[in-house]
Amino acid sequence: MADAALFEFLHAEMVAELGTRDPDPDPDPGPGGQKRSLSILEGIGFRVGQALGESVCPCPARLPQETLALREELDVLKFLCKDLWVSVFQKQIDGLCTNHQGTYVLQDNNFPLFIRMALGPQYLEEAPKFLAFTCGLLQGTLHILGFESLVTSSMATLPACKFQVVIQKS
Amino acid sequence: MTVHNLYLFDRNGVCLHYSEWHRKKQAGIPKEEEYKLMYGMLFSIRSFVSKMSPLDMKDGFLAFQTSRYKLHYYETPTGIKVVMNTDLGVGSIRDVLHHIYSALYVELVVKNPLCPLGQTVQSELFRSRLDSYIRSLPFFSTRAG
């Protein structure tokens, strides 16, 4: 695994390149200029999440034989919170809540991409674009494991943030 | 023992950060002028020291002291300069200055994508961490107020 700083710097540059807010919103942004650029970031995250989901998937030999691991929705979400988060951010996520109807809230009290930014409300306005990639990451990993989902993010004060995962029933 | 104040300069002489704790006498000029004066002096000392040295130097300029205070100087290969003024009782604090650079400036400014480099640091997190780090130093406390 490459140094964590490498990913952080590259991520910051992607956000700077793709997530820039148009200085004056009126002329030219087209249909949802800001939204579209964030969806590019999300798309990159999706692709990375797919590959990462494949590569950090637990080896079946390590797990009890008869239960095919990661069949249940909750197991998959736990996998995201533990293995995926550790492989990307070197830590586990802090909380996982669910309403048992396909909606999950993943809570990270010290989101690593925010931890050096602020402690409190400073930079709150800029923060959402630093979450788009990670939203895509979660979606991509869920996709490769066979779950279609919708992931949104929110934050009240840095460095804490929440990801809401809604599994789409087909 | 006391910490008076702290300057952070970049390689172009921009004052990235300034904070002060126990400074009884102000310079009597605008802060911007003071930063320029300070940087100019440091710049001159650096070239003076390197020309006057009879031997090749490793660290170069480290500190100077007057009858009332001591100025500690630390410069990285990238040109970041950490300058701290204390009273005379404080010995070498290179590790402290290096900590300010590596654990505070690099971690909270360089690694914060919302902090542009080469400008005065706006991050409140950096300021508050720096302040609490300086206040926790063993030689921070002042005896005579």
Side-chain angles (χ1 to χ4, degrees):
Chain A
M1 197 76 195
D3 192 349
L6 197 58
F7 162 67
E8 279 177 36
F9 294 148
L10 184 61
H11 178 264
E13 286 315 305
M14 289 196 304
V15 171
E17 188 63 28
L18 296 167
T20 39
R21 198 177 288 271
D22 212 293
D24 46 350
D26 265 336
D28 155 64
Q34 163 81 1
K35 275 218 188 77
R36 227 202 35 180
S37 55
L38 282 189
S39 75
I40 296 176
L41 263 179
E42 225 174 282
I44 298 174
F46 189 90
R47 178 66 183 83
V48 173
Q50 276 185 309
L52 206 58
E54 203 75 84
S55 64
V56 294
C57 242
C59 160
R62 250 180 37 209
L63 294 154
Q65 266 79 31
E66 64 276 87
T67 61
L68 188 61
L70 304 182
R71 215 173 34 191
E72 296 294 320
E73 222 172 75
L74 192 61
D75 291 332
V76 172
L77 267 294
K78 279 184 188 161
F79 164 74
L80 295 184
C81 295
K82 291 183 180 155
D83 305 58
L84 181 75
W85 224 248
V86 167
S87 74
V88 181
F89 298 120
Q90 291 80 44
K91 74 184 278 276
Q92 294 191 6
I93 213 157
D94 296 306
L96 170 64
C97 310
T98 173
N99 66 353
H100 297 290
Q101 286 167 11
T103 302
Y104 299 83
V105 175
L106 285 65
Q107 161 99 32
D108 196 334
N109 297 327
N110 288 298
F111 187 54
L113 298 177
F114 287 162
I115 206 157
R116 303 196 180 82
M117 254 181 226
L119 195 70
Q122 200 190 13
Y123 297 128
L124 203 56
E125 225 170 272
E126 310 276 342
K129 57 192 188 192
F130 287 88
L131 293 172
F133 176 85
T134 311
C135 285
L137 195 74
L138 291 170
Q139 263 179 46
T141 309
L142 284 166
H143 175 81
I144 203 79
L145 293 165
F147 295 93
E148 294 310 316
S149 62
L150 207 65
V151 181
T152 52
S153 58
S154 61
M155 69 256 104
T157 64
L158 302 186
C161 68
K162 284 180 183 165
F163 298 91
Q164 189 182 10
V165 178
V166 181
I167 305 285
Q168 315 284 81
K169 298 276 186 248
S170 52
Chain B
M1 292 199 269
T2 315
V3 174
H4 297 306
N5 56 5
L6 176 96
Y7 301 83
L8 220 59
F9 291 103
D10 81 351
R11 69 180 312 133
N12 301 316
V14 177
C15 185
L16 299 173
H17 180 77
Y18 173 74
S19 43
E20 67 182 39
W21 292 273
H22 301 292
R23 186 174 180 182
K24 289 203 180 122
K25 188 167 163 292
Q26 292 293 337
I29 50 174
K31 275 280 180 292
E32 291 304 317
E33 294 295 311
E34 184 187 305
Y35 301 154
K36 279 187 205 158
L37 210 56
M38 177 57 98
Y39 187 79
M41 181 200 65
L42 294 171
F43 191 84
S44 308
I45 289 182
R46 245 169 35 120
S47 72
F48 173 82
V49 164
S50 68
K51 287 193 182 80
M52 287 303 122
S53 172
L55 297 168
D56 275 350
M57 287 184 301
K58 204 162 109 290
D59 293 328
F61 169 44
L62 295 171
F64 73 70
Q65 66 181 55
T66 71
S67 58
R68 300 304 296 270
Y69 74 96
K70 183 170 177 186
L71 180 144
H72 305 261
Y73 179 83
Y74 175 80
E75 181 174 348
T76 69
T78 52
I80 301 291
K81 298 162 184 72
V82 187
V83 182
M84 190 193 274
N85 289 310
T86 66
D87 70 346
L88 297 174
V90 178
S92 171
I93 50 167
R94 272 187 94 62
D95 50 336
V96 169
L97 299 185
H98 177 73
H99 181 93
I100 292 171
Y101 166 71
S102 69
L104 297 169
Y105 177 75
V106 171
E107 284 300 314
L108 302 175
V109 179
V110 177
K111 291 193 178 176
N112 179 352
L114 299 173
C115 272
L117 299 180
Q119 291 177 24
T120 308
V121 177
Q122 303 292 347
S123 166
E124 284 160 22
L125 184 62
F126 171 74
R127 290 174 196 216
S128 67
R129 285 275 181 82
L130 178 63
D131 188 66
S132 55
Y133 174 67
I134 299 287
R135 283 177 195 279
S136 74
L137 292 172
F139 50 83
F140 178 79
S141 63
T142 174
R143 276 166 310 182

